[in-house]
Amino acid sequence: MVRLALVIILIGFPVIAQDRDTLRLELVLDPRSEQPFVGEMVLATIRGIYSEHIGREDLKLRPMTDFDWNRLGQDAWTEDRVDGRRARVMERRVALYPRRAGTLEILPIAHELEIIGADGQRHTEIVRSDPVRVDVREIPAGAGEAWLPVRAVELSETWSVDPARLEDGQSTERRVVLRALGATPEMMPEQPDLREPWLITFSQPETRDLQVTTMGPVTTVVWRWTLRPITGEPGVLHGVDIPWFDTDERVARSAAIPVASIGYASFADNAISKWREDPGMRPAHVISAGVGLLVGLVLLLRNLGPSPYRLGRLRRYFHRHRDLYLLRRYAKRGELGRFRKFATCMLDNGTRMTQSRDHPVLQPLDAILFGPNAHRSREDLATLMLSVRFQIASSRSKGKRDGAPTSGA
């Protein structure tokens, strides 16, 4: 009796094992040469092999603590022969994104199946995959918050109007499209800030779109700005670097929004910029200018006095014009401190040790430098410093007539 029961068990065991093997579900990770970083896409295939007749099915991926995931397209059902038996094969592509470093576990995946037996009876079976462990590396040092591990990045830009040739008061729209293979919309960077003090900027709401492929999700971000210069003078929009990590080559890269010039066309076409490249100089003009310069130099030397004093007076003459040239340059640049220091030195007849601040001609300038009303427009400062320069020139001319000593600063 015992022998008979043992024989029945041994005969029935392969049949039982075969029935259990008719429903199989597994998670297969794509082969890779290196461990993934935190946030890097890990591609996998959920594969079910079923030798039973299936009426309905429902594959469930429950939320996981250590992974985010995305489904990559529709399930693919095919008929195939597995281990010598005909079977239906189901495959679903997924992308997994580890949230932290360490040895992480992908939880079992459940596939609920409605099995139709040979007698037409229906019953429900739940098939589960085995857990899968993945070793995940820390984010590389120096990556910071701009960590974007993807397989490829593409950036393009378009302008509604040529930004360097705008009509007066006209606006232009800048459109930048950023695409990344292997990124979800949440991973993409925020829209850059293109604000400048000389520019009116309106940032339109960005759009983010996700498309799925078998090689991973492709996220497209579209940024748009409406830009208009405040003044006619052209300005430069600085470029913006978008760092990303190439997960195929395992190197850090950068996509750049390029530098752009923006301004009104009228600025380039006005009278200041219409000087001719050919000033119309002819040989006769050059000869006439040379003769005039020579005659003026001769007359100057004749009026400088006796020969022992000619070189000294000539030197003081050129020093005076050099000093006035420096004042004009400081005035043009708006360098108030250097302008006042140099003007004080000139009024004090070149004595650089003086610290006097009592010159009447410098009082308006002192009110700006040392008084409470320190904010003036560029035009007011230029007018004020031009007036000071001419008063200094007049003072020096008067000192020369009165016999006061003068020297170069």
Side-chain angles (χ1 to χ4, degrees):
M1 188 67 180
V2 175
R3 291 181 179 179
L4 179 60
L6 183 60
V7 170
I8 293 174
I9 291 174
L10 293 176
I11 294 175
F13 183 79
V15 176
I16 295 172
Q18 179 177 343
D19 290 341
R20 290 179 178 177
D21 199 38
T22 58
L23 304 174
R24 189 170 68 213
L25 184 67
E26 57 185 357
L27 176 68
V28 182
L29 301 180
D30 284 13
R32 56 187 307 131
S33 58
E34 297 188 33
Q35 297 173 353
F37 288 105
V38 174
E40 180 180 347
M41 177 181 65
V42 177
L43 292 175
T45 301
I46 303 173
R47 181 179 292 113
I49 302 175
Y50 309 124
S51 299
E52 304 288 347
H53 185 64
I54 300 174
R56 294 183 303 170
E57 56 87 23
D58 183 17
L59 181 62
K60 299 179 180 179
L61 271 76
R62 55 182 173 175
M64 290 178 278
T65 303
D66 295 332
F67 289 91
D68 294 318
W69 59 271
N70 277 92
R71 178 176 176 176
L72 304 179
Q74 300 297 320
D75 298 343
W77 288 84
T78 58
E79 297 284 343
D80 201 355
R81 185 172 293 277
V82 180
D83 298 332
R85 294 181 300 174
R86 294 188 62 84
R88 298 191 67 188
V89 179
M90 184 279 303
E91 289 188 343
R92 174 185 292 185
R93 294 284 287 172
V94 293
L96 302 165
Y97 298 89
R99 295 179 178 177
R100 62 180 181 87
T103 300
L104 309 183
E105 184 176 270
I106 303 174
L107 300 178
I109 300 169
H111 199 179
E112 183 176 323
L113 305 173
E114 184 183 68
I115 307 297
I116 302 177
D119 56 356
Q121 296 296 321
R122 297 171 181 262
H123 65 280
T124 300
E125 294 280 353
I126 297 179
V127 186
R128 290 182 173 85
S129 66
D130 294 330
V132 177
R133 289 181 173 84
V134 181
D135 292 328
V136 181
R137 300 166 60 185
E138 292 280 1
I139 296 175
E145 298 180 357
W147 175 242
L148 181 63
V150 291
R151 305 187 66 176
V153 166
E154 178 186 86
L155 187 144
S156 62
E157 72 160 352
T158 56
W159 294 84
S160 61
V161 181
D162 183 0
R165 303 288 300 176
L166 297 175
E167 298 180 2
D168 291 351
Q170 186 180 19
S171 300
T172 182
E173 181 183 273
R174 188 182 199 180
R175 185 174 184 266
V176 174
V177 179
L178 179 67
R179 293 185 178 89
L181 171 60
T184 62
E186 296 78 14
M187 296 171 58
M188 300 297 281
E190 296 295 329
Q191 183 169 349
D193 188 3
L194 299 186
R195 298 186 184 278
E196 297 288 348
W198 48 269
L199 190 67
I200 299 175
T201 304
F202 174 71
S203 300
Q204 303 185 34
E206 65 178 12
T207 59
R208 301 189 176 214
D209 179 61
L210 176 67
Q211 296 177 332
V212 295
T213 69
T214 57
M215 300 306 295
V218 178
T219 297
T220 302
V221 179
V222 180
W223 296 323
R224 294 184 299 166
W225 301 268
T226 300
L227 307 171
R228 187 179 67 187
I230 297 177
T231 62
E233 185 175 358
V236 176
L237 285 174
H238 299 290
V240 178
D241 289 331
I242 302 175
W244 63 283
F245 183 79
D246 189 335
T247 57
D248 286 343
E249 300 295 333
R250 317 304 290 179
V251 295
R253 302 188 187 276
S254 179
I257 300 177
V259 175
S261 178
I262 181 170
Y264 295 128
S266 59
F267 185 86
D269 297 336
N270 63 16
I272 297 177
S273 62
K274 277 193 171 182
W275 292 342
R276 292 183 298 174
E277 295 182 2
D278 179 11
M281 296 294 290
R282 297 293 183 266
H285 299 161
V286 176
I287 294 174
S288 300
V291 172
L293 181 61
L294 181 59
V295 172
L297 184 58
V298 170
L299 294 177
L300 177 64
L301 293 176
R302 289 184 59 186
N303 293 328
L304 286 179
S307 56
Y309 303 100
R310 288 180 180 177
L311 293 179
R313 298 186 65 184
L314 182 62
R315 179 176 62 85
R316 289 193 294 271
Y317 173 82
F318 284 111
H319 280 180
R320 181 168 61 255
H321 284 272
R322 182 202 62 183
D323 295 345
L324 293 177
Y325 165 76
L326 289 176
L327 281 180
R328 285 195 298 269
R329 187 172 66 175
Y330 294 151
K332 183 177 181 181
R333 293 181 178 178
E335 300 179 8
L336 301 182
R338 299 185 68 179
F339 181 91
R340 189 196 182 284
K341 181 177 180 181
F342 200 79
T344 303
C345 184
M346 292 179 64
L347 290 173
D348 292 337
N349 298 325
T351 304
R352 298 184 180 273
M353 298 300 295
T354 181
Q355 298 296 329
S356 173
R357 297 185 179 180
D358 298 329
H359 296 292
V361 295
L362 297 180
Q363 289 180 358
L365 186 60
D366 292 342
I368 296 177
L369 285 172
F370 308 111
N373 187 21
H375 298 284
R376 299 284 292 272
S377 68
R378 181 181 298 179
E379 293 78 9
D380 293 340
L381 293 177
T383 302
L384 175 60
M385 288 191 287
L386 187 63
S387 175
V388 172
R389 182 177 63 84
F390 280 117
Q391 290 185 58
I392 291 174
S394 300
S395 175
R396 296 191 61 156
S397 298
K398 180 180 179 181
K400 180 180 178 181
R401 290 193 302 269
D402 296 342
T406 59
S407 63

